[in-house]
Amino acid sequence: MPVRFQLNGILIEESEVPPSMTVLDYLRESEGLKGTKEGCAEGDCGACTIAVQLPQGNVEAVNSCLMLVPQLDGLSVTTVEGLSQPDSPLHPVQRAFVDNHAAQCGFCTPGFVMALFAFEQSGEAATAETVHEAIAGNLCRCTGYRPIVDAAMSVDCVPEKHVPPALEHSSHYTDGDEDFFAPTTLTELVKLRLEHPNAYVYAGGTDLGMRASKDRESYGRVISTSHVSELKRVEQSDGSVTLGAAVTYTDALPVLDEIAPSFAELVRRIGSRQIRNLGTIGGNVCNASPIGDTPPCLIALNAVMIVHGPKGQREIPAEEFFIDYRKTALNPDEILEALRIPLPQPDMLFRAYKISKRFDQDISAVVGAFALEVEDGMVKSARVAFGGMAATPARANACENALIGKPWVFETAIAAGTAISGDFTPLTDFRASEDYRMRVASNLLRRLYHDSDENDFVTEVMSL
Amino acid sequence: MSTARQMDQIKGGVHTDVRHDSAVNHVTGRSVFIDDMPNVPGTLHGALVKSPHAHAVIKSIDLNAARELTGVHAVLVADDIPGRNDVAPIFEDEPILAKGLVEYIGHPIAAIAADSMDIARAAASMVVVEYEELEPVLTIDEALERESYTSPPQIMRRGDSARGISDAPHQISGEVRCGGQDHFYLESHIALAVPQEDRDMLVYSSTQHPTEVQHGVATVLGLPVNAVTTEIRRMGGGFGGKESQSTIIAALAALMADKTRQPVKLRLARDDDMVITGKRHDFLFRYEVGFDDTGRIEGIDILMASRAGNVADLSSSVLVRALCHGDNAYYLPNAHIHGYPCKTNTVSNTGFRGFGGPQGMVAIETVIDHIAQDLGTDSDDVRRANYYDTGDRDTTHYGQKVTDNIITEIVDSLSREIDYPARKAAVAAFNQENTILKKGIALMPVKFGISFNLPTLNQAGALVHVYTDGSVHLNHGGTEMGQGLYIKVAQVVASTFQIDIDNVKISSTNTAKVPNTSATAASSGSDLNGMAAHDAATQIRDRMAGVAAEHFEVDESEIEFRNNRIYARNDSLSFAELAQLTWEHRVSLSATGFYSTPDISWDDETMTGRPFYYFSYGACVSEVVIDTLTGENRVLRSDILQDCGRSLNPAIDLGQIEGAFVQGMGWLTMEELWWDEKGALRTHGPSTYKIPGSRDVPPEFNVHILEDAPNREPTIFRSKAIGEPPLMLALSVWLALRDAVASVGGHGHLPNLDAPATAEAVLMAVADIQERAGDGT
């Protein structure tokens, strides 16, 4: 079946290109739309940013380099060429860029314009904070950003309300010997998984997509989870929150803001808006990277992975899900259906800290997640988990033991920090040395202690 | 300004805020970069086979499998080169394809042209190379030890430094390092070579140096220079990375095009770009200084060792500029500054905005801090004690008199504006109250020499045509990489003719129009090309004035070009009418212009002379905060005052200042090039190599251009160069980070903090100073 989408207002039924073709290549090579640029092919520079409108109406910025053509199914795509015609006035975002001298070499500019177009369509108020967040996924090497931020702040326009057309869904796109399956029900998904044990289970594709964009691989078979309704649910009940495995970071944020603000803050630092609009917590979990940002939080929060196979559902505690370097407890015929996060009790101290070279859009050197129950000044329970300290995200048992049953005082925090050296032997690589990782992990206990004391002082540079 | 006067002014003349000529095309995605040019049918795509070893002999290469792959048109190695396998910009023997020996990880060995980039890359992976590994030299320290250099050491000497040091009341010595920096232009290297008749070659190259590309292609193909044309409309950023390195890419594309007789596009993917092409040089500095009780330097010895990489490229020139800026704004009475371009089995480093100047300043600013630490005094007092002055303290260590010194005026003006003493006191008060977060604040003065160090390079040409409808065609040797050179030169031409800038058509840089050009580098673009275009326009204008004088029957001195018209007493003609009339009079409306910077000299033997036509000045104060638990850090505020002479375009110059500062800040803080023990660069894309994002820019960022400061030299409309100087203002950030770290030890110890000051480096420096201060917490 062809995939159907709108491109700058024109309906496209595409059945000719390979399913592994990236949207960026498609736009530039097949459609001749050269305004969208390749700056890195790994979703980190934003030069390839386009805007997509989802069937429910919201407009989101995405990295076209990481997206495969079949992922466009049902979407309305706007590229920089679609914002204004050569003989008509510029779009207000474009106008603001021109008026603020916000473009120098011009190579990053279309990507910035599209990121800010999506931002403006969201109707959010432009503040320094929201603008930085909106363009955290776009790099400019010329301007120093000040005029770009000024341009974003100066745009004053009402978002246009377009009703996206309802397009027939393509559940199986194929070209030659490549297949892209896009089931809509859990039953179909589980069946496809059983039939194609070697297929890639594809959520947002913000990591897997690099095989197409950078490594120029063809996938053979892909099973997309994006259209499976059971995997898109966000439910709050019985003292827990259940997030479907295909819920994007963006869609998970409102509920995370509610139940664990510190977790939500960390999620806001995962990739960029472009990444978070595609990427999913389920994908982050199944990717099982030792430096994934969400697993330590899920372990500390005592989350449960709900997996589904031919024999039905089973549950795996988060801390047992990561069994080795990039290996999960999923059987080959199983898929991750959802994550269930118990609601933290009101008196629980939960904090997640991410340490990286750059605040935005960076991969962590260390992530520390802490869930402490303190009663009458004593630590009743403690779940502490780290990323970046071992081959898998893991609990810090020695650290926890140094906390449990002790008074929650500075000395306990120091002792628990010191105890971490018994938990991990981290690696040295280009993100951080072993020594740094260990010092930081240990010091995060001090940060936690100061953080827990309302009368204490500011502890993070971003708070100033 | 009166309304009448405004009406008298042309649109887009010099000293006005004209927007970038491509602004609308940029925001609409209509600007054409090389990869956006329409594909001519039959265009092939290139890929390279790269060395996986830092140092190895090539025992054999098996190209058969790659050649047999469907869609592959050529698989070429060094032996296939018809001309000379050498694109060295200064020395020689810098091959585009390895000749039997690979000298860094990423060293190109073979070039493949195929129907698509994917096929070319697939073929590249099928080339089988047998190596015999040799021991690599990877670091500056190893190369220094072995005295392994890409060109001879260079020495600047004045007076008796040893005596100056030993006779001084105080002596210190120390060591500091700064890292390299990837250019990270958003458009990676690209060239499109299109074969013409008779083996002629047209090359579209993303280059700052079309002439060098032309020479490189001619050399590699064994053709005379006139058989090759290079053209470039715009680059997606350059920053020095496309000064010499683009020649390699262009020559490889041309080689493949010459062999296949089909157009070949060679575009490096980001990771290949970062692995294959050179970067800013990292440096090691060792210093020994003698000074008096006020901190005034009496003698200094600085060793500057750079990592040149596998070949010389521009390393010797970068080193000379580092040596020339080892003084920054300070008078060094007895100086011995000696440089070593270390040959290593890593990618050949190259020019990058500042071109060694920023690195040289890292050394001297560390010295200033160290002196202040040793004396227990304020580093700003030490700076002041050492600034160039009039009388016997006005000559640089390479013999150039500093005649345009305004450093104290700039520093004082900035300090007053921001109430610097109160800001310092506030930082100290913050640090009293906070144990986890610590602030730092620092001032960085900059004096930067303008002109290519080598006098020969300081020349430029332009070509101007006036058509009979009064429209003007402008061409010159400078290239556009976003910095706004094209619009500035167009403003010069508009002002010279006194016509609105809309009448001036800017055209692509092309070696067939203006030959024998220098690179658009060393901040020289508008100084040189602006003058050359001014010369061309003035010639035509003078001829037109002659025709007008004849027409109005007045003396030529009575002809005035003003606001799109030509006036003679009470008569006037429009510019277009006079253009038509000039043609009718059979007078040429076309001219080539030329400029060579006057009064400059350089003696390579003694390393003395007047290499710089003038100096550019600036000052910046930055305030930072560090987290002593994690090393995380952030710039809170920066205030800049920058000398632009009489700016040709304040809006464009502001963009240059802000952009350079943020780029410099990235170099000194988060941008870390990390090589593993085998010599492989492991930070080779934006996921691993972090340049500043919008949130990293100081939330309070005040940038001002120094007013009423015309260049004392007769430069183009008394403006000053702006591309590089503000980058060095970012050293204020690094100095402020050092200040914050020093505060942890009660300012009792000099911090061991090199550049880049990543979160990790800051935390380690904090731990080190806590240990030295005997405070283990």
Side-chain angles (χ1 to χ4, degrees):
Chain A
M1 290 169 85
V3 287
R4 296 177 189 82
F5 54 93
Q6 280 206 318
L7 178 56
N8 295 329
I10 295 163
L11 178 70
I12 307 267
E13 292 199 18
E14 182 58 59
S15 56
E16 303 287 314
V17 304
S20 305
M21 184 179 226
T22 67
V23 173
L24 176 62
D25 284 352
Y26 179 77
L27 292 173
R28 290 183 59 84
E29 308 308 328
S30 298
E31 293 295 318
L33 297 171
K34 306 274 191 174
T36 309
K37 312 294 184 196
E38 178 180 316
C40 70
E42 59 182 21
D44 271 89
C45 80
C48 69
T49 302
I50 57 170
V52 296
Q53 189 179 26
L54 312 185
Q56 54 269 38
N58 42 324
V59 175
E60 296 183 341
V62 293
N63 294 119
S64 65
C65 74
L66 291 181
M67 234 182 152
L68 307 181
V69 173
Q71 287 180 280
L72 292 178
D73 190 51
L75 303 179
S76 291
V77 178
T78 306
T79 69
V80 70
E81 290 88 352
L83 285 195
S84 59
Q85 298 308 307
D87 47 3
S88 64
L90 294 174
H91 184 277
V93 171
Q94 294 172 319
R95 184 78 254 159
F97 255 69
V98 171
D99 293 342
N100 284 279
H101 303 275
Q104 287 187 21
C105 85
F107 201 85
C108 73
T109 310
F112 270 99
V113 167
M114 294 316 296
L116 288 171
F117 166 73
F119 173 71
E120 172 263 337
Q121 289 291 303
S122 73
E124 281 171 89
T127 64
E129 180 56 36
T130 56
V131 168
H132 285 317
E133 199 194 307
I135 59 174
N138 295 78
L139 296 176
C140 168
R141 194 55 151 169
C142 295
T143 63
Y145 300 97
R146 194 272 312 158
I148 296 175
V149 173
D150 282 359
M153 305 278 265
S154 74
V155 178
D156 184 21
C157 69
V158 184
E160 304 154 48
K161 288 274 177 244
H162 287 300
V163 181
L167 301 171
E168 195 193 337
H169 174 64
S170 165
S171 58
H172 181 196
Y173 180 86
T174 183
D175 177 79
D177 49 4
E178 285 192 79
D179 295 287
F180 188 98
F181 298 101
T184 54
T185 65
L186 183 58
T187 315
E188 284 176 79
L189 175 65
V190 171
K191 185 163 165 278
L192 281 165
R193 185 61 180 147
L194 190 64
E195 286 167 6
H196 307 289
N198 295 321
Y200 287 101
V201 176
Y202 209 89
T206 54
D207 188 67
L208 268 181
M210 277 195 279
R211 290 171 185 247
S213 63
K214 277 182 78 156
D215 305 339
R216 314 305 295 177
E217 276 182 33
S218 297
Y219 295 96
R221 289 207 171 85
V222 168
I223 306 168
S224 164
T225 61
S226 296
H227 297 270
V228 180
S229 53
E230 291 94 329
L231 270 61
K232 303 285 285 181
R233 68 202 159 112
V234 179
E235 285 168 9
Q236 196 167 340
S237 64
D238 295 347
S240 68
V241 161
T242 305
L243 288 173
V247 173
T248 63
Y249 294 113
T250 299
D251 290 341
L253 271 170
V255 69
L256 294 180
D257 269 327
E258 210 175 298
I259 65 162
S262 178
F263 187 12
E265 281 315 300
L266 182 140
V267 168
R268 280 202 175 79
R269 288 178 61 192
I270 296 177
S272 57
R273 278 203 179 179
Q274 288 93 319
I275 296 293
R276 294 192 296 275
N277 288 335
L278 287 175
T280 63
I281 298 183
N284 197 229
V285 165
C286 290
N287 195 35
S289 161
I291 45 178
D293 280 339
T294 63
C297 302
L298 296 168
I299 293 172
L301 287 168
N302 205 10
V304 170
M305 307 296 159
I306 303 167
V307 308
H308 212 114
K311 289 180 215 138
Q313 220 182 48
R314 68 181 176 118
E315 297 190 351
I316 308 172
E319 62 189 277
E320 291 168 22
F321 191 75
F322 309 99
I323 55 174
D324 206 341
Y325 178 73
R326 305 204 81 156
K327 257 184 91 172
T328 71
L330 280 176
N331 291 325
D333 56 4
E334 286 178 323
I335 53 96
L336 179 70
E337 181 188 334
L339 321 117
R340 193 174 65 232
I341 308 170
L343 293 185
Q345 295 308 303
D347 59 345
M348 180 190 273
L349 172 64
F350 176 78
R351 289 289 186 280
Y353 302 126
K354 165 170 174 155
I355 308 299
S356 54
K357 269 186 197 153
R358 191 173 65 197
F359 183 82
D360 281 314
Q361 167 99 326
D362 198 359
I363 294 165
S364 303
V366 174
V367 167
F370 308 87
L372 267 62
E373 281 180 296
V374 181
E375 210 173 87
D376 301 329
M378 301 294 283
V379 181
K380 201 174 84 182
S381 75
R383 294 180 66 88
V384 176
F386 281 95
M389 298 292 288
T392 64
R395 277 180 84 169
N397 296 314
C399 175
E400 289 177 3
N401 289 336
L403 290 166
I404 296 166
K406 305 286 180 349
W408 183 229
V409 293
F410 184 74
E411 289 69 23
T412 302
I414 297 289
T418 309
I420 293 173
S421 60
D423 285 318
F424 301 113
T425 310
L427 280 178
T428 290
D429 70 3
F430 50 85
R431 291 204 170 87
S433 67
E434 174 187 356
D435 189 6
Y436 179 70
R437 286 188 156 110
M438 193 51 90
R439 277 173 196 269
V440 163
S442 170
N443 284 348
L444 286 182
L445 269 296
R446 278 183 68 189
R447 179 188 278 187
L448 179 73
Y449 175 76
H450 293 302
D451 231 4
S452 69
D453 182 350
E454 283 176 14
N455 301 317
D456 222 343
F457 34 78
V458 180
T459 55
E460 293 183 48
V461 297
M462 296 311 289
S463 310
L464 284 189
Chain B
M1 193 180 292
S2 74
T3 317
R5 178 77 194 282
Q6 274 175 350
M7 283 174 59
D8 235 17
Q9 281 188 343
I10 56 164
K11 272 200 302 194
V14 293
H15 313 310
T16 63
D17 284 343
V18 190
R19 70 179 191 218
H20 195 282
D21 50 283
S22 296
V24 169
N25 283 340
H26 284 347
V27 301
T28 53
R30 287 174 215 141
S31 290
V32 178
F33 295 85
I34 289 174
D35 199 33
D36 304 334
M37 293 169 68
N39 272 341
V40 177
T43 299
L44 304 177
H45 300 265
L48 303 174
V49 177
K50 298 162 288 177
S51 168
H53 301 296
H55 197 194
V57 173
I58 299 173
K59 303 293 285 181
S60 68
I61 309 182
D62 183 350
L63 304 171
N64 289 328
R67 281 184 171 145
E68 281 161 19
L69 188 69
T70 309
V72 171
H73 293 251
V75 183
L76 306 171
V77 293
D79 286 345
D80 297 311
I81 291 173
R84 209 152 53 79
N85 184 8
D86 181 12
V87 292
I90 297 176
F91 299 95
E92 51 185 37
D93 202 20
E94 297 180 15
I96 58 168
L97 291 172
K99 298 187 290 189
L101 181 73
V102 288
E103 290 195 292
Y104 71 98
I105 292 178
H107 203 153
I109 295 163
I112 295 166
D115 287 331
S116 74
M117 196 193 243
D118 288 352
I119 296 172
R121 287 192 198 176
S125 69
M126 296 161 80
V127 171
V128 183
V129 187
E130 222 188 315
Y131 300 94
E132 181 188 320
E133 281 189 70
L134 305 172
E135 195 196 340
V137 174
L138 299 175
T139 64
I140 291 173
D141 306 66
E142 290 170 72
L144 264 185
E145 177 87 5
R146 297 175 191 213
E147 299 184 20
S148 162
Y149 310 122
T150 54
S151 60
Q154 291 166 300
I155 296 165
M156 272 177 201
R157 199 191 290 275
R158 170 168 61 189
D160 186 341
S161 61
R163 187 88 186 266
I165 296 167
S166 61
D167 286 358
H170 307 274
Q171 289 86 22
I172 53 167
S173 62
E175 185 178 298
V176 67
R177 292 162 194 266
C178 63
Q181 183 178 28
D182 190 82
H183 302 85
F184 211 89
Y185 26 67
L186 264 287
E187 178 208 39
S188 56
H189 274 287
I190 184 166
L192 171 63
V194 187
Q196 312 286 307
E197 287 181 13
D198 303 331
R199 283 192 74 215
D200 287 4
M201 192 61 70
L202 169 61
V203 185
Y204 298 95
S205 165
S206 182
T207 180
Q208 295 170 239
H209 202 344
T211 291
E212 195 165 287
V213 166
Q214 181 191 27
H215 290 177
V217 169
T219 302
V220 165
L221 297 186
L223 297 171
V225 174
N226 69 3
V228 180
T229 301
T230 313
E231 180 166 321
I232 174 64
R233 173 59 183 83
R234 61 172 63 81
M235 283 163 270
F239 315 113
K242 295 172 181 173
E243 181 173 352
S244 66
Q245 305 283 289
S246 40
T247 304
I248 301 167
I249 307 308
L252 286 165
L255 172 68
M256 292 186 274
D258 184 59
K259 290 288 177 184
T260 59
R261 307 310 301 161
Q262 284 173 263
V264 176
K265 186 193 281 187
L266 180 58
R267 172 174 73 85
L268 298 189
R270 174 64 56 188
D271 302 72
D272 281 351
D273 186 287
M274 289 188 71
V275 167
I276 293 171
T277 69
K279 302 152 204 327
R280 185 189 293 285
H281 292 71
D282 44 334
F283 270 75
L284 159 69
F285 306 103
R286 292 189 184 126
Y287 57 85
E288 221 185 311
V289 195
F291 48 96
D292 70 12
D293 293 342
T294 67
R296 185 171 273 197
I297 294 167
E298 296 188 355
I300 189 165
D301 185 298
I302 311 179
L303 172 149
M304 298 189 175
S306 69
R307 182 154 65 153
N310 71 311
V311 291
D313 182 74
L314 302 170
S315 296
S316 58
S317 302
V318 169
L319 192 56
V320 171
R321 187 162 278 270
L323 300 181
C324 281
H325 288 80
D327 60 343
N328 187 13
Y330 315 113
Y331 175 70
L332 308 175
N334 295 291
H336 176 220
I337 306 185
H338 38 123
Y340 306 86
C342 296
K343 179 177 162 77
T344 53
N345 293 113
T346 51
V347 65
S348 178
N349 283 324
T350 191
F352 192 144
R353 208 172 194 171
F355 207 75
Q359 293 98 313
M361 290 187 196
V362 165
I364 191 66
E365 292 301 329
T366 304
V367 166
I368 295 283
D369 263 10
H370 197 164
I371 292 172
Q373 183 64 55
D374 193 65
L375 292 174
T377 177
D378 190 320
S379 58
D380 291 321
D381 294 337
V382 176
R383 289 196 167 83
R384 188 166 295 274
N386 284 288
Y387 284 143
Y388 280 104
D389 205 344
T390 48
D392 58 354
R393 294 178 59 84
D394 69 348
T395 308
T396 65
H397 55 293
Y398 47 88
Q400 172 159 0
K401 243 182 176 0
V402 183
T403 57
D404 54 7
N405 185 6
I406 51 171
I407 196 64
T408 47
E409 287 97 307
I410 287 202
V411 166
D412 289 348
S413 171
L414 179 68
S415 298
R416 257 196 322 276
E417 185 65 33
I418 64 166
D419 200 356
Y420 185 37
R423 295 271 310 282
K424 285 207 256 191
V427 165
F430 178 93
N431 288 341
Q432 280 289 317
E433 288 163 16
N434 288 273
T435 52
I436 306 287
L437 300 187
K438 293 289 180 184
K439 283 188 178 181
I441 189 166
L443 175 136
M444 173 72 189
V446 170
K447 166 187 129 290
F448 189 74
I450 301 299
S451 297
F452 288 99
N453 268 73
L454 185 64
T456 300
L457 301 177
N458 295 286
Q459 55 172 311
L463 175 66
V464 174
H465 308 315
V466 176
Y467 295 100
T468 50
D469 64 351
S471 66
V472 174
H473 179 94
L474 167 63
N475 197 272
H476 52 80
T479 56
E480 177 63 38
M481 58 198 101
Q483 83 279 42
L485 173 65
Y486 276 11
I487 193 69
K488 280 185 171 180
V489 178
Q491 286 175 270
V492 166
V493 169
S495 282
T496 308
F497 285 127
Q498 280 297 300
I499 56 173
D500 290 345
I501 198 159
D502 310 344
N503 298 312
V504 181
K505 174 65 76 184
I506 291 167
S507 62
S508 303
T509 312
N510 186 311
T511 53
K513 281 188 178 172
V514 174
N516 309 324
T517 57
S518 289
T520 306
S523 307
S524 70
S526 53
D527 277 8
L528 298 178
N529 296 287
M531 271 297 196
H534 182 63
D535 176 44
T538 304
Q539 292 173 44
I540 299 172
R541 184 188 145 130
D542 288 350
R543 289 182 219 142
M544 292 173 79
V547 171
E550 202 180 318
H551 175 73
F552 290 125
E553 296 177 343
V554 297
D555 189 77
E556 240 182 89
S557 64
E558 291 184 76
I559 299 294
E560 191 191 358
F561 284 65
R562 174 159 49 87
N563 194 16
N564 297 294
R565 296 193 73 78
I566 290 79
Y567 294 88
R569 296 182 191 161
N570 296 325
D571 280 332
S572 76
L573 281 171
S574 73
F575 187 78
E577 287 163 345
L578 179 57
Q580 173 72 24
L581 195 65
T582 305
W583 175 73
E584 286 168 11
H585 281 237
R586 295 188 292 172
V587 172
S588 168
L589 282 167
S590 175
T592 57
F594 186 75
Y595 177 71
S596 68
T597 311
D599 307 326
I600 50 175
S601 63
W602 184 248
D603 182 338
D604 233 357
E605 289 297 309
T606 60
M607 301 278 278
T608 57
R610 181 196 177 184
F612 306 124
Y613 190 33
Y614 62 89
F615 293 98
S616 166
Y617 299 87
C620 177
V621 170
S622 289
E623 183 177 328
V624 304
V625 59
I626 63 168
D627 178 342
T628 58
L629 296 181
T630 62
E632 291 170 293
N633 56 80
R634 184 182 181 210
V635 187
L636 297 171
R637 176 175 169 181
S638 293
D639 293 84
I640 289 174
L641 186 58
Q642 176 65 40
D643 167 26
C644 298
R646 189 177 287 151
S647 170
L648 286 175
N649 185 327
I652 295 281
D653 283 355
L654 185 66
Q656 287 297 294
I657 298 167
E658 291 173 337
F661 176 84
V662 172
Q663 196 169 57
M665 195 185 83
W667 167 50
L668 295 162
T669 57
M670 63 186 71
E671 293 183 36
E672 186 175 25
L673 294 164
W674 199 91
W675 273 270
D676 67 17
E677 70 285 351
K678 291 199 149 57
L681 177 66
R682 301 295 297 275
T683 50
H684 49 68
S687 59
T688 49
Y689 183 77
K690 311 312 282 187
I691 70 168
S694 78
R695 205 192 299 268
D696 302 307
V697 177
E700 196 170 347
F701 190 24
N702 305 305
V703 181
H704 295 288
I705 292 172
L706 186 69
E707 287 176 13
D708 301 321
N711 197 332
R712 295 185 199 176
E713 299 296 339
T715 51
I716 186 72
F717 293 103
R718 299 278 174 177
S719 62
K720 280 196 178 183
I722 192 62
E724 294 163 294
L727 184 131
M728 283 148 275
L729 297 172
L731 275 158
S732 59
V733 170
W734 182 66
L735 294 169
L737 287 167
R738 288 169 60 93
D739 182 52
V741 172
S743 78
V744 174
H747 288 279
H749 305 271
L750 190 73
N752 281 322
L753 181 63
D754 293 333
T758 57
E760 170 160 353
V762 168
L763 187 67
M764 293 309 173
V766 165
D768 169 75
I769 218 158
Q770 281 168 337
E771 205 165 283
R772 282 190 284 152
D775 167 19
T777 57

